[in-house]
PDB file of all heavy atoms in Angstrom:
ATOM      1  N   ILE P   1      15.237  -1.759 -15.236  1.00  0.00           N
ATOM      2  CA  ILE P   1      13.842  -1.385 -15.499  1.00  0.00           C
ATOM      3  C   ILE P   1      12.891  -2.432 -14.934  1.00  0.00           C
ATOM      4  O   ILE P   1      11.891  -2.107 -14.274  1.00  0.00           O
ATOM      5  CB  ILE P   1      13.620  -1.194 -17.004  1.00  0.00           C
ATOM      6  CG1 ILE P   1      14.384   0.039 -17.507  1.00  0.00           C
ATOM      7  CG2 ILE P   1      12.135  -1.045 -17.328  1.00  0.00           C
ATOM      8  CD1 ILE P   1      14.369   0.207 -19.001  1.00  0.00           C
ATOM      9  N   LEU P   2      13.186  -3.709 -15.166  1.00  0.00           N
ATOM     10  CA  LEU P   2      12.338  -4.774 -14.617  1.00  0.00           C
ATOM     11  C   LEU P   2      12.338  -4.752 -13.093  1.00  0.00           C
ATOM     12  O   LEU P   2      11.293  -4.935 -12.452  1.00  0.00           O
ATOM     13  CB  LEU P   2      12.834  -6.130 -15.124  1.00  0.00           C
ATOM     14  CG  LEU P   2      12.689  -6.413 -16.621  1.00  0.00           C
ATOM     15  CD1 LEU P   2      13.287  -7.775 -16.955  1.00  0.00           C
ATOM     16  CD2 LEU P   2      11.228  -6.358 -17.052  1.00  0.00           C
ATOM     17  N   CYS P   3      13.519  -4.528 -12.514  1.00  0.00           N
ATOM     18  CA  CYS P   3      13.627  -4.505 -11.053  1.00  0.00           C
ATOM     19  C   CYS P   3      12.830  -3.346 -10.462  1.00  0.00           C
ATOM     20  O   CYS P   3      12.119  -3.517  -9.461  1.00  0.00           O
ATOM     21  CB  CYS P   3      15.098  -4.403 -10.664  1.00  0.00           C
ATOM     22  SG  CYS P   3      15.408  -4.415  -8.887  1.00  0.00           S
ATOM     23  N   SER P   4      12.933  -2.173 -11.074  1.00  0.00           N
ATOM     24  CA  SER P   4      12.206  -1.014 -10.553  1.00  0.00           C
ATOM     25  C   SER P   4      10.700  -1.188 -10.693  1.00  0.00           C
ATOM     26  O   SER P   4       9.937  -0.822  -9.783  1.00  0.00           O
ATOM     27  CB  SER P   4      12.662   0.252 -11.282  1.00  0.00           C
ATOM     28  OG  SER P   4      12.400   0.154 -12.677  1.00  0.00           O
ATOM     29  N   ALA P   5      10.246  -1.776 -11.803  1.00  0.00           N
ATOM     30  CA  ALA P   5       8.812  -2.000 -11.988  1.00  0.00           C
ATOM     31  C   ALA P   5       8.270  -2.957 -10.923  1.00  0.00           C
ATOM     32  O   ALA P   5       7.181  -2.745 -10.374  1.00  0.00           O
ATOM     33  CB  ALA P   5       8.550  -2.554 -13.382  1.00  0.00           C
ATOM     34  N   ARG P   6       9.041  -3.993 -10.615  1.00  0.00           N
ATOM     35  CA  ARG P   6       8.605  -4.945  -9.585  1.00  0.00           C
ATOM     36  C   ARG P   6       8.625  -4.311  -8.204  1.00  0.00           C
ATOM     37  O   ARG P   6       7.727  -4.552  -7.376  1.00  0.00           O
ATOM     38  CB  ARG P   6       9.523  -6.171  -9.613  1.00  0.00           C
ATOM     39  CG  ARG P   6       9.177  -7.255  -8.588  1.00  0.00           C
ATOM     40  CD  ARG P   6       7.850  -7.899  -8.939  1.00  0.00           C
ATOM     41  NE  ARG P   6       7.531  -8.971  -8.003  1.00  0.00           N
ATOM     42  CZ  ARG P   6       6.943  -8.797  -6.823  1.00  0.00           C
ATOM     43  NH1 ARG P   6       6.604  -7.581  -6.439  1.00  0.00           N
ATOM     44  NH2 ARG P   6       6.680  -9.816  -6.046  1.00  0.00           N
ATOM     45  N   ALA P   7       9.624  -3.482  -7.935  1.00  0.00           N
ATOM     46  CA  ALA P   7       9.748  -2.865  -6.615  1.00  0.00           C
ATOM     47  C   ALA P   7       8.629  -1.866  -6.353  1.00  0.00           C
ATOM     48  O   ALA P   7       8.119  -1.773  -5.236  1.00  0.00           O
ATOM     49  CB  ALA P   7      11.109  -2.183  -6.481  1.00  0.00           C
ATOM     50  N   LEU P   8       8.240  -1.120  -7.373  1.00  0.00           N
ATOM     51  CA  LEU P   8       7.199  -0.103  -7.181  1.00  0.00           C
ATOM     52  C   LEU P   8       5.864  -0.717  -6.779  1.00  0.00           C
ATOM     53  O   LEU P   8       5.106  -0.126  -6.011  1.00  0.00           O
ATOM     54  CB  LEU P   8       7.028   0.717  -8.461  1.00  0.00           C
ATOM     55  CG  LEU P   8       8.150   1.691  -8.813  1.00  0.00           C
ATOM     56  CD1 LEU P   8       7.961   2.246 -10.219  1.00  0.00           C
ATOM     57  CD2 LEU P   8       8.198   2.832  -7.797  1.00  0.00           C
ATOM     58  N   GLY P   9       5.574  -1.891  -7.280  1.00  0.00           N
ATOM     59  CA  GLY P   9       4.276  -2.495  -7.015  1.00  0.00           C
ATOM     60  C   GLY P   9       4.280  -3.574  -5.951  1.00  0.00           C
ATOM     61  O   GLY P   9       3.257  -4.241  -5.761  1.00  0.00           O
ATOM     62  N   GLU P  10       5.392  -3.760  -5.238  1.00  0.00           N
ATOM     63  CA  GLU P  10       5.457  -4.831  -4.241  1.00  0.00           C
ATOM     64  C   GLU P  10       4.468  -4.588  -3.104  1.00  0.00           C
ATOM     65  O   GLU P  10       4.389  -3.499  -2.540  1.00  0.00           O
ATOM     66  CB  GLU P  10       6.876  -4.943  -3.691  1.00  0.00           C
ATOM     67  CG  GLU P  10       7.009  -5.883  -2.508  1.00  0.00           C
ATOM     68  CD  GLU P  10       6.454  -7.274  -2.774  1.00  0.00           C
ATOM     69  OE1 GLU P  10       6.464  -7.723  -3.951  1.00  0.00           O
ATOM     70  OE2 GLU P  10       5.993  -7.911  -1.821  1.00  0.00           O
ATOM     71  N   PHE P  11       3.743  -5.634  -2.759  1.00  0.00           N
ATOM     72  CA  PHE P  11       2.716  -5.523  -1.721  1.00  0.00           C
ATOM     73  C   PHE P  11       2.890  -6.556  -0.606  1.00  0.00           C
ATOM     74  O   PHE P  11       2.904  -6.203   0.573  1.00  0.00           O
ATOM     75  CB  PHE P  11       1.321  -5.669  -2.344  1.00  0.00           C
ATOM     76  CG  PHE P  11       0.203  -5.575  -1.347  1.00  0.00           C
ATOM     77  CD1 PHE P  11      -0.324  -4.344  -0.997  1.00  0.00           C
ATOM     78  CD2 PHE P  11      -0.328  -6.714  -0.753  1.00  0.00           C
ATOM     79  CE1 PHE P  11      -1.356  -4.241  -0.072  1.00  0.00           C
ATOM     80  CE2 PHE P  11      -1.357  -6.627   0.169  1.00  0.00           C
ATOM     81  CZ  PHE P  11      -1.870  -5.381   0.509  1.00  0.00           C
ATOM     82  N   GLY P  12       3.018  -7.840  -0.964  1.00  0.00           N
ATOM     83  CA  GLY P  12       2.934  -8.908   0.021  1.00  0.00           C
ATOM     84  C   GLY P  12       3.982  -8.831   1.102  1.00  0.00           C
ATOM     85  O   GLY P  12       3.662  -8.771   2.303  1.00  0.00           O
ATOM     86  N   ALA P  13       5.269  -8.851   0.722  1.00  0.00           N
ATOM     87  CA  ALA P  13       6.342  -8.845   1.717  1.00  0.00           C
ATOM     88  C   ALA P  13       6.355  -7.545   2.500  1.00  0.00           C
ATOM     89  O   ALA P  13       6.551  -7.536   3.722  1.00  0.00           O
ATOM     90  CB  ALA P  13       7.684  -9.071   1.029  1.00  0.00           C
ATOM     91  N   VAL P  14       6.150  -6.426   1.808  1.00  0.00           N
ATOM     92  CA  VAL P  14       6.146  -5.122   2.479  1.00  0.00           C
ATOM     93  C   VAL P  14       4.974  -5.031   3.449  1.00  0.00           C
ATOM     94  O   VAL P  14       5.090  -4.434   4.529  1.00  0.00           O
ATOM     95  CB  VAL P  14       6.102  -3.997   1.437  1.00  0.00           C
ATOM     96  CG1 VAL P  14       5.913  -2.642   2.108  1.00  0.00           C
ATOM     97  CG2 VAL P  14       7.375  -3.985   0.612  1.00  0.00           C
ATOM     98  N   SER P  15       3.843  -5.614   3.101  1.00  0.00           N
ATOM     99  CA  SER P  15       2.680  -5.580   3.973  1.00  0.00           C
ATOM    100  C   SER P  15       2.969  -6.251   5.310  1.00  0.00           C
ATOM    101  O   SER P  15       2.486  -5.809   6.359  1.00  0.00           O
ATOM    102  CB  SER P  15       1.487  -6.257   3.282  1.00  0.00           C
ATOM    103  OG  SER P  15       0.373  -6.316   4.129  1.00  0.00           O
ATOM    104  N   VAL P  16       3.773  -7.317   5.290  1.00  0.00           N
ATOM    105  CA  VAL P  16       4.062  -8.056   6.514  1.00  0.00           C
ATOM    106  C   VAL P  16       5.025  -7.275   7.407  1.00  0.00           C
ATOM    107  O   VAL P  16       4.837  -7.203   8.626  1.00  0.00           O
ATOM    108  CB  VAL P  16       4.643  -9.437   6.176  1.00  0.00           C
ATOM    109  CG1 VAL P  16       5.063 -10.178   7.447  1.00  0.00           C
ATOM    110  CG2 VAL P  16       3.627 -10.272   5.400  1.00  0.00           C
ATOM    111  N   VAL P  17       6.064  -6.675   6.823  1.00  0.00           N
ATOM    112  CA  VAL P  17       7.118  -6.051   7.638  1.00  0.00           C
ATOM    113  C   VAL P  17       6.850  -4.592   7.960  1.00  0.00           C
ATOM    114  O   VAL P  17       7.550  -4.019   8.793  1.00  0.00           O
ATOM    115  CB  VAL P  17       8.485  -6.163   6.926  1.00  0.00           C
ATOM    116  CG1 VAL P  17       8.833  -7.606   6.654  1.00  0.00           C
ATOM    117  CG2 VAL P  17       8.502  -5.361   5.624  1.00  0.00           C
ATOM    118  N   SER P  18       5.860  -3.979   7.315  1.00  0.00           N
ATOM    119  CA  SER P  18       5.667  -2.538   7.491  1.00  0.00           C
ATOM    120  C   SER P  18       4.802  -2.193   8.701  1.00  0.00           C
ATOM    121  O   SER P  18       4.957  -1.128   9.297  1.00  0.00           O
ATOM    122  CB  SER P  18       5.024  -1.942   6.237  1.00  0.00           C
ATOM    123  OG  SER P  18       3.695  -2.423   6.075  1.00  0.00           O
ATOM    124  N   GLY P  19       3.874  -3.072   9.067  1.00  0.00           N
ATOM    125  CA  GLY P  19       2.969  -2.774  10.161  1.00  0.00           C
ATOM    126  C   GLY P  19       1.791  -1.902   9.780  1.00  0.00           C
ATOM    127  O   GLY P  19       0.958  -1.565  10.625  1.00  0.00           O
ATOM    128  N   HIS P  20       1.707  -1.473   8.519  1.00  0.00           N
ATOM    129  CA  HIS P  20       0.580  -0.670   8.024  1.00  0.00           C
ATOM    130  C   HIS P  20       0.378   0.604   8.846  1.00  0.00           C
ATOM    131  O   HIS P  20      -0.756   0.970   9.167  1.00  0.00           O
ATOM    132  CB  HIS P  20      -0.716  -1.480   8.020  1.00  0.00           C
ATOM    133  CG  HIS P  20      -0.775  -2.525   6.949  1.00  0.00           C
ATOM    134  ND1 HIS P  20      -1.496  -2.371   5.808  1.00  0.00           N
ATOM    135  CD2 HIS P  20      -0.181  -3.739   6.857  1.00  0.00           C
ATOM    136  CE1 HIS P  20      -1.363  -3.448   5.046  1.00  0.00           C
ATOM    137  NE2 HIS P  20      -0.559  -4.289   5.655  1.00  0.00           N
ATOM    138  N   ILE P  21       1.440   1.269   9.212  1.00  0.00           N
ATOM    139  CA  ILE P  21       1.319   2.528   9.945  1.00  0.00           C
ATOM    140  C   ILE P  21       1.119   3.637   8.920  1.00  0.00           C
ATOM    141  O   ILE P  21       2.072   4.058   8.257  1.00  0.00           O
ATOM    142  CB  ILE P  21       2.565   2.796  10.806  1.00  0.00           C
ATOM    143  CG1 ILE P  21       2.831   1.602  11.737  1.00  0.00           C
ATOM    144  CG2 ILE P  21       2.383   4.072  11.631  1.00  0.00           C
ATOM    145  CD1 ILE P  21       4.118   1.719  12.519  1.00  0.00           C
ATOM    146  N   ASN P  22      -0.114   4.076   8.765  1.00  0.00           N
ATOM    147  CA  ASN P  22      -0.429   5.041   7.721  1.00  0.00           C
ATOM    148  C   ASN P  22       0.302   6.360   7.959  1.00  0.00           C
ATOM    149  O   ASN P  22       0.303   6.915   9.059  1.00  0.00           O
ATOM    150  CB  ASN P  22      -1.941   5.288   7.664  1.00  0.00           C
ATOM    151  CG  ASN P  22      -2.382   5.848   6.333  1.00  0.00           C
ATOM    152  OD1 ASN P  22      -1.801   5.514   5.297  1.00  0.00           O
ATOM    153  ND2 ASN P  22      -3.389   6.688   6.329  1.00  0.00           N
ATOM    154  N   GLY P  23       0.929   6.863   6.926  1.00  0.00           N
ATOM    155  CA  GLY P  23       1.700   8.093   7.022  1.00  0.00           C
ATOM    156  C   GLY P  23       3.133   7.883   7.442  1.00  0.00           C
ATOM    157  O   GLY P  23       3.924   8.838   7.411  1.00  0.00           O
ATOM    158  N   LYS P  24       3.494   6.631   7.819  1.00  0.00           N
ATOM    159  CA  LYS P  24       4.868   6.361   8.257  1.00  0.00           C
ATOM    160  C   LYS P  24       5.488   5.180   7.520  1.00  0.00           C
ATOM    161  O   LYS P  24       6.585   5.291   6.982  1.00  0.00           O
ATOM    162  CB  LYS P  24       4.904   6.115   9.766  1.00  0.00           C
ATOM    163  CG  LYS P  24       4.572   7.348  10.606  1.00  0.00           C
ATOM    164  CD  LYS P  24       4.719   7.059  12.088  1.00  0.00           C
ATOM    165  CE  LYS P  24       4.435   8.303  12.922  1.00  0.00           C
ATOM    166  NZ  LYS P  24       4.592   8.051  14.381  1.00  0.00           N
ATOM    167  N   THR P  25       4.798   4.042   7.525  1.00  0.00           N
ATOM    168  CA  THR P  25       5.385   2.851   6.905  1.00  0.00           C
ATOM    169  C   THR P  25       4.524   2.288   5.779  1.00  0.00           C
ATOM    170  O   THR P  25       4.738   1.152   5.358  1.00  0.00           O
ATOM    171  CB  THR P  25       5.613   1.750   7.965  1.00  0.00           C
ATOM    172  OG1 THR P  25       4.341   1.361   8.511  1.00  0.00           O
ATOM    173  CG2 THR P  25       6.524   2.237   9.070  1.00  0.00           C
ATOM    174  N   CYS P  26       3.561   3.032   5.305  1.00  0.00           N
ATOM    175  CA  CYS P  26       2.714   2.584   4.199  1.00  0.00           C
ATOM    176  C   CYS P  26       3.321   3.036   2.871  1.00  0.00           C
ATOM    177  O   CYS P  26       3.476   4.242   2.644  1.00  0.00           O
ATOM    178  CB  CYS P  26       1.292   3.131   4.335  1.00  0.00           C
ATOM    179  SG  CYS P  26       0.206   2.133   5.369  1.00  0.00           S
ATOM    180  N   THR P  27       3.654   2.083   2.020  1.00  0.00           N
ATOM    181  CA  THR P  27       4.044   2.421   0.658  1.00  0.00           C
ATOM    182  C   THR P  27       2.778   2.695  -0.162  1.00  0.00           C
ATOM    183  O   THR P  27       1.659   2.566   0.345  1.00  0.00           O
ATOM    184  CB  THR P  27       4.854   1.282   0.030  1.00  0.00           C
ATOM    185  OG1 THR P  27       4.062   0.080   0.046  1.00  0.00           O
ATOM    186  CG2 THR P  27       6.143   1.043   0.805  1.00  0.00           C
ATOM    187  N   LEU P  28       2.960   3.050  -1.408  1.00  0.00           N
ATOM    188  CA  LEU P  28       1.809   3.409  -2.232  1.00  0.00           C
ATOM    189  C   LEU P  28       0.815   2.253  -2.389  1.00  0.00           C
ATOM    190  O   LEU P  28      -0.403   2.474  -2.256  1.00  0.00           O
ATOM    191  CB  LEU P  28       2.278   3.921  -3.590  1.00  0.00           C
ATOM    192  CG  LEU P  28       1.224   4.583  -4.474  1.00  0.00           C
ATOM    193  CD1 LEU P  28       0.540   5.715  -3.735  1.00  0.00           C
ATOM    194  CD2 LEU P  28       1.859   5.098  -5.771  1.00  0.00           C
ATOM    195  N   PRO P  29       1.243   1.017  -2.675  1.00  0.00           N
ATOM    196  CA  PRO P  29       0.262  -0.079  -2.728  1.00  0.00           C
ATOM    197  C   PRO P  29      -0.489  -0.280  -1.415  1.00  0.00           C
ATOM    198  O   PRO P  29      -1.698  -0.537  -1.421  1.00  0.00           O
ATOM    199  CB  PRO P  29       1.119  -1.305  -3.082  1.00  0.00           C
ATOM    200  CG  PRO P  29       2.296  -0.743  -3.794  1.00  0.00           C
ATOM    201  CD  PRO P  29       2.582   0.561  -3.115  1.00  0.00           C
ATOM    202  N   LEU P  30       0.205  -0.148  -0.275  1.00  0.00           N
ATOM    203  CA  LEU P  30      -0.467  -0.297   1.017  1.00  0.00           C
ATOM    204  C   LEU P  30      -1.417   0.863   1.280  1.00  0.00           C
ATOM    205  O   LEU P  30      -2.482   0.681   1.883  1.00  0.00           O
ATOM    206  CB  LEU P  30       0.568  -0.373   2.140  1.00  0.00           C
ATOM    207  CG  LEU P  30       1.546  -1.545   2.086  1.00  0.00           C
ATOM    208  CD1 LEU P  30       2.488  -1.509   3.289  1.00  0.00           C
ATOM    209  CD2 LEU P  30       0.818  -2.866   2.034  1.00  0.00           C
ATOM    210  N   HIS P  31      -1.041   2.058   0.830  1.00  0.00           N
ATOM    211  CA  HIS P  31      -1.916   3.220   1.006  1.00  0.00           C
ATOM    212  C   HIS P  31      -3.191   3.065   0.178  1.00  0.00           C
ATOM    213  O   HIS P  31      -4.279   3.462   0.624  1.00  0.00           O
ATOM    214  CB  HIS P  31      -1.171   4.484   0.597  1.00  0.00           C
ATOM    215  CG  HIS P  31      -1.959   5.741   0.796  1.00  0.00           C
ATOM    216  ND1 HIS P  31      -2.368   6.176   2.038  1.00  0.00           N
ATOM    217  CD2 HIS P  31      -2.432   6.666  -0.106  1.00  0.00           C
ATOM    218  CE1 HIS P  31      -3.042   7.311   1.908  1.00  0.00           C
ATOM    219  NE2 HIS P  31      -3.102   7.614   0.634  1.00  0.00           N
ATOM    220  N   ILE P  32      -3.069   2.472  -0.988  1.00  0.00           N
ATOM    221  CA  ILE P  32      -4.251   2.213  -1.812  1.00  0.00           C
ATOM    222  C   ILE P  32      -5.196   1.252  -1.088  1.00  0.00           C
ATOM    223  O   ILE P  32      -6.416   1.449  -1.072  1.00  0.00           O
ATOM    224  CB  ILE P  32      -3.831   1.649  -3.185  1.00  0.00           C
ATOM    225  CG1 ILE P  32      -3.065   2.713  -3.981  1.00  0.00           C
ATOM    226  CG2 ILE P  32      -5.043   1.167  -3.970  1.00  0.00           C
ATOM    227  CD1 ILE P  32      -2.455   2.181  -5.255  1.00  0.00           C
ATOM    228  N   GLU P  33      -4.634   0.205  -0.485  1.00  0.00           N
ATOM    229  CA  GLU P  33      -5.477  -0.726   0.266  1.00  0.00           C
ATOM    230  C   GLU P  33      -6.161  -0.016   1.436  1.00  0.00           C
ATOM    231  O   GLU P  33      -7.346  -0.250   1.700  1.00  0.00           O
ATOM    232  CB  GLU P  33      -4.624  -1.882   0.788  1.00  0.00           C
ATOM    233  CG  GLU P  33      -5.437  -2.927   1.542  1.00  0.00           C
ATOM    234  CD  GLU P  33      -4.572  -3.851   2.375  1.00  0.00           C
ATOM    235  OE1 GLU P  33      -3.547  -3.396   2.902  1.00  0.00           O
ATOM    236  OE2 GLU P  33      -4.950  -5.029   2.510  1.00  0.00           O
ATOM    237  N   TYR P  34      -5.427   0.855   2.127  1.00  0.00           N
ATOM    238  CA  TYR P  34      -5.999   1.583   3.258  1.00  0.00           C
ATOM    239  C   TYR P  34      -7.160   2.462   2.791  1.00  0.00           C
ATOM    240  O   TYR P  34      -8.227   2.494   3.430  1.00  0.00           O
ATOM    241  CB  TYR P  34      -4.910   2.436   3.907  1.00  0.00           C
ATOM    242  CG  TYR P  34      -5.443   3.411   4.933  1.00  0.00           C
ATOM    243  CD1 TYR P  34      -5.711   3.010   6.239  1.00  0.00           C
ATOM    244  CD2 TYR P  34      -5.669   4.750   4.594  1.00  0.00           C
ATOM    245  CE1 TYR P  34      -6.207   3.907   7.179  1.00  0.00           C
ATOM    246  CE2 TYR P  34      -6.157   5.650   5.523  1.00  0.00           C
ATOM    247  CZ  TYR P  34      -6.423   5.230   6.812  1.00  0.00           C
ATOM    248  OH  TYR P  34      -6.917   6.123   7.739  1.00  0.00           O
ATOM    249  N   LEU P  35      -6.984   3.172   1.690  1.00  0.00           N
ATOM    250  CA  LEU P  35      -8.048   4.036   1.183  1.00  0.00           C
ATOM    251  C   LEU P  35      -9.264   3.218   0.762  1.00  0.00           C
ATOM    252  O   LEU P  35     -10.414   3.594   1.038  1.00  0.00           O
ATOM    253  CB  LEU P  35      -7.529   4.864  -0.001  1.00  0.00           C
ATOM    254  CG  LEU P  35      -6.438   5.895   0.298  1.00  0.00           C
ATOM    255  CD1 LEU P  35      -5.918   6.502  -0.997  1.00  0.00           C
ATOM    256  CD2 LEU P  35      -6.974   6.990   1.217  1.00  0.00           C
ATOM    257  N   TYR P  36      -9.035   2.117   0.119  1.00  0.00           N
ATOM    258  CA  TYR P  36     -10.144   1.276  -0.345  1.00  0.00           C
ATOM    259  C   TYR P  36     -10.905   0.675   0.835  1.00  0.00           C
ATOM    260  O   TYR P  36     -12.143   0.636   0.820  1.00  0.00           O
ATOM    261  CB  TYR P  36      -9.610   0.165  -1.252  1.00  0.00           C
ATOM    262  CG  TYR P  36     -10.692  -0.642  -1.911  1.00  0.00           C
ATOM    263  CD1 TYR P  36     -11.320  -0.181  -3.065  1.00  0.00           C
ATOM    264  CD2 TYR P  36     -11.088  -1.869  -1.386  1.00  0.00           C
ATOM    265  CE1 TYR P  36     -12.319  -0.927  -3.678  1.00  0.00           C
ATOM    266  CE2 TYR P  36     -12.078  -2.614  -1.988  1.00  0.00           C
ATOM    267  CZ  TYR P  36     -12.695  -2.139  -3.135  1.00  0.00           C
ATOM    268  OH  TYR P  36     -13.680  -2.873  -3.732  1.00  0.00           O
ATOM    269  N   ASP P  37     -10.182   0.222   1.845  1.00  0.00           N
ATOM    270  CA  ASP P  37     -10.837  -0.358   3.021  1.00  0.00           C
ATOM    271  C   ASP P  37     -11.649   0.679   3.789  1.00  0.00           C
ATOM    272  O   ASP P  37     -12.598   0.322   4.508  1.00  0.00           O
ATOM    273  CB  ASP P  37      -9.799  -0.993   3.948  1.00  0.00           C
ATOM    274  CG  ASP P  37      -9.197  -2.253   3.365  1.00  0.00           C
ATOM    275  OD1 ASP P  37      -9.799  -2.814   2.433  1.00  0.00           O
ATOM    276  OD2 ASP P  37      -8.118  -2.672   3.826  1.00  0.00           O
ATOM    277  N   ASN P  38     -11.281   1.949   3.679  1.00  0.00           N
ATOM    278  CA  ASN P  38     -11.997   3.016   4.373  1.00  0.00           C
ATOM    279  C   ASN P  38     -12.973   3.749   3.442  1.00  0.00           C
ATOM    280  O   ASN P  38     -13.367   4.884   3.731  1.00  0.00           O
ATOM    281  CB  ASN P  38     -10.996   4.010   4.968  1.00  0.00           C
ATOM    282  CG  ASN P  38     -10.277   3.460   6.174  1.00  0.00           C
ATOM    283  OD1 ASN P  38     -10.762   3.558   7.300  1.00  0.00           O
ATOM    284  ND2 ASN P  38      -9.118   2.848   5.946  1.00  0.00           N
ATOM    285  N   TYR P  39     -13.305   3.114   2.323  1.00  0.00           N
ATOM    286  CA  TYR P  39     -14.325   3.594   1.392  1.00  0.00           C
ATOM    287  C   TYR P  39     -13.987   4.958   0.777  1.00  0.00           C
ATOM    288  O   TYR P  39     -14.879   5.692   0.367  1.00  0.00           O
ATOM    289  CB  TYR P  39     -15.695   3.666   2.084  1.00  0.00           C
ATOM    290  CG  TYR P  39     -16.119   2.340   2.657  1.00  0.00           C
ATOM    291  CD1 TYR P  39     -15.969   2.075   4.018  1.00  0.00           C
ATOM    292  CD2 TYR P  39     -16.647   1.343   1.840  1.00  0.00           C
ATOM    293  CE1 TYR P  39     -16.344   0.839   4.545  1.00  0.00           C
ATOM    294  CE2 TYR P  39     -17.020   0.116   2.360  1.00  0.00           C
ATOM    295  CZ  TYR P  39     -16.874  -0.131   3.707  1.00  0.00           C
ATOM    296  OH  TYR P  39     -17.242  -1.349   4.230  1.00  0.00           O
ATOM    297  N   GLN P  40     -12.710   5.280   0.693  1.00  0.00           N
ATOM    298  CA  GLN P  40     -12.272   6.478  -0.013  1.00  0.00           C
ATOM    299  C   GLN P  40     -11.903   6.058  -1.447  1.00  0.00           C
ATOM    300  O   GLN P  40     -10.739   6.052  -1.837  1.00  0.00           O
ATOM    301  CB  GLN P  40     -11.090   7.130   0.703  1.00  0.00           C
ATOM    302  CG  GLN P  40     -11.381   7.499   2.145  1.00  0.00           C
ATOM    303  CD  GLN P  40     -10.191   8.121   2.839  1.00  0.00           C
ATOM    304  OE1 GLN P  40      -9.458   8.918   2.250  1.00  0.00           O
ATOM    305  NE2 GLN P  40      -9.991   7.781   4.109  1.00  0.00           N
ATOM    306  N   LEU P  41     -12.927   5.709  -2.198  1.00  0.00           N
ATOM    307  CA  LEU P  41     -12.713   5.053  -3.484  1.00  0.00           C
ATOM    308  C   LEU P  41     -12.062   5.982  -4.501  1.00  0.00           C
ATOM    309  O   LEU P  41     -11.206   5.561  -5.273  1.00  0.00           O
ATOM    310  CB  LEU P  41     -14.048   4.523  -4.021  1.00  0.00           C
ATOM    311  CG  LEU P  41     -14.767   3.502  -3.128  1.00  0.00           C
ATOM    312  CD1 LEU P  41     -16.023   2.993  -3.808  1.00  0.00           C
ATOM    313  CD2 LEU P  41     -13.841   2.345  -2.775  1.00  0.00           C
ATOM    314  N   SER P  42     -12.464   7.244  -4.518  1.00  0.00           N
ATOM    315  CA  SER P  42     -11.901   8.172  -5.490  1.00  0.00           C
ATOM    316  C   SER P  42     -10.396   8.325  -5.287  1.00  0.00           C
ATOM    317  O   SER P  42      -9.609   8.255  -6.245  1.00  0.00           O
ATOM    318  CB  SER P  42     -12.587   9.539  -5.374  1.00  0.00           C
ATOM    319  OG  SER P  42     -12.013  10.455  -6.302  1.00  0.00           O
ATOM    320  N   ALA P  43      -9.972   8.517  -4.043  1.00  0.00           N
ATOM    321  CA  ALA P  43      -8.545   8.648  -3.757  1.00  0.00           C
ATOM    322  C   ALA P  43      -7.803   7.341  -4.017  1.00  0.00           C
ATOM    323  O   ALA P  43      -6.666   7.344  -4.493  1.00  0.00           O
ATOM    324  CB  ALA P  43      -8.345   9.093  -2.312  1.00  0.00           C
TER     325      ALA P  43
END
């Protein structure tokens, strides 16, 4: 349970290795950052 909770919210390491390719290599935390940076605050 602890491992899964940490994995679901991981951002830093995944951000470096993923390349931020939206729709392909963006996990949910990275997708949230993408939406926020593009002023899609509701989403």
Side-chain angles (χ1 to χ4, degrees):
I1 292 173
L2 293 178
C3 182
S4 61
R6 180 68 178 84
L8 288 170
E10 171 54 29
F11 180 87
V14 173
S15 176
V16 175
V17 302
S18 67
H20 288 257
I21 305 174
N22 201 33
K24 293 184 178 181
T25 63
C26 274
T27 58
L28 191 55
L30 298 182
H31 183 64
I32 294 172
E33 182 196 34
Y34 170 82
L35 294 173
Y36 187 82
D37 289 342
N38 287 274
Y39 303 100
Q40 303 179 40
L41 300 184
S42 179

